[in-house]
Amino acid sequence: MTISSRAIGAAAAAALLVPLAGCASGAPESGPIPAPKPTSSSSAAGSTEPTPTAPHSQGVDPGAYPTYVALGDSFTAAPLASKTDPGDGCLRSRHNYPALIAAAMAGTKLDDRSCAGADTTSLIGVQNTPQGVVPAQFDALATDTSLVTVGIGGNDFGIYGTLIGTCPGLRASDPTGSPCQDQLTAGGTDQLLAEVAKLGPRLTSTIAGIRDRSPDAEIVVVGYPSAIAAGSTCPDLLPLADGDYAYAARINAALAETQKRAAKKADALYIDTFAASEGHDICSPDPWVNGQVTSADTALAFHPLLAEQRAVAQLVLRALPPHGVVGG
């Protein structure tokens, strides 16, 4: 069946609206932000977009990781970053970083369970999408799984949704000030930083849960990219008040640092996408994350571009032990 890119974009927007439903305060409780309508109506199935070349395996032995499970949220699924099948509502790009990693390693079979809107509870429990219910991502893990990548956490407690869903709406009230920071730090406590702090134990437990189910697997925690730079302003792409760019950048950095600490504590490999993406924020000339306009040929609003997915794939391939896990 041929599915138009406009239909995919509509499915993407619907997928992102689900986690926002029922939030009385106006701040998302969980999940990414609702997306604008796509800007392109070309057919994704019949697109002339060239198939991205898989990155080199960086010396990983053929068959070193025969069974690969990818876990994560929309920064792993990468909606609309290349051809996307709306399928089960998870909106996985056919050329997201798990697909590129698997393509670069001969003899590797990928089971990609990443899903737009997922948080850490989606790893152990079912997740509702506009297309129905998808099973717990951990269901893909087995004792013979040899490689697991996991990139998750930003949807927990509505961290990313508040940052990108709520803060832009406050710009009009004080375009040159910092209305989002002022609102979220009223009373002397930074609400978002407090939520980020609560995320750490969840991520540590996530890694422990993976290891329990797949004891011989190489576990790789993939960090979030630097989407927002403190010294930049670009209201057409990222409509924050001038003073809120620095605040949003601090939350972005704290989120990545929390992932890094959890990986270190659990003795898992960490892919520092945040450091690697410096200079590739939304406002930069060479962004790795899309701005506020969804394009069915480019990426979902405020989500990874294909360039970011290719860079992450290369980082993972360079970090993997070439012969697989010792004893695995």
Side-chain angles (χ1 to χ4, degrees), residues 70-302:
L71 310 172
D73 56 26
S74 54
F75 270 70
T76 299
L80 307 184
S82 185
K83 298 177 183 178
T84 297
D85 183 351
D88 57 5
C90 287
L91 304 172
R92 302 179 195 94
S93 166
R94 297 180 190 177
H95 301 116
N96 62 6
Y97 72 74
L100 294 173
I101 290 167
M105 297 192 301
T108 295
K109 181 180 179 181
L110 169 64
D111 189 349
D112 185 357
R113 297 298 181 98
S114 63
C115 195
D119 63 15
T120 55
T121 67
S122 308
L123 301 176
I124 57 175
V126 299
Q127 178 185 344
N128 292 308
T129 78
Q131 304 303 319
V133 176
V134 295
Q137 294 188 29
F138 272 8
D139 286 358
L141 299 173
T143 55
D144 65 347
T145 300
S146 52
L147 173 63
V148 180
T149 59
V150 56
I152 205 158
N155 291 331
D156 286 63
F157 313 113
I159 296 168
Y160 193 65
T162 299
L163 192 64
I164 303 298
T166 299
C167 292
L170 299 174
R171 173 182 166 81
S173 66
D174 187 7
T176 61
S178 54
C180 187
Q181 178 177 330
D182 296 344
Q183 176 173 303
L184 293 173
T185 60
T189 299
D190 189 318
Q191 298 173 37
L192 276 188
L193 281 181
E195 302 292 17
V196 172
K198 289 160 56 178
L199 175 63
R202 284 193 176 193
L203 294 179
T204 303
S205 295
T206 289
I207 300 168
I210 295 169
R211 188 163 282 125
D212 284 346
R213 293 163 175 79
S214 303
D216 294 327
E218 184 72 62
I219 301 172
V220 183
V221 177
V222 177
Y224 289 116
S226 175
I228 307 161
S232 300
T233 58
C234 56
D236 290 343
L237 298 173
L238 179 59
L240 298 174
D242 292 353
D244 280 332
Y245 284 89
Y247 174 69
R250 286 200 301 274
I251 301 300
N252 189 177
L255 187 56
E257 181 63 24
T258 299
Q259 292 175 306
K260 182 177 182 178
R261 290 178 180 174
K264 182 177 181 180
K265 184 175 182 180
D267 196 27
L269 280 177
Y270 176 69
I271 303 302
D272 196 346
T273 310
F274 187 86
S277 59
E278 183 178 356
H280 295 285
D281 58 274
I282 291 173
C283 295
S284 73
D286 183 22
W288 283 4
V289 177
N290 194 23
Q292 67 173 329
V293 178
T294 289
S295 169
D297 299 319
T298 305
L300 197 63
F302 304 121

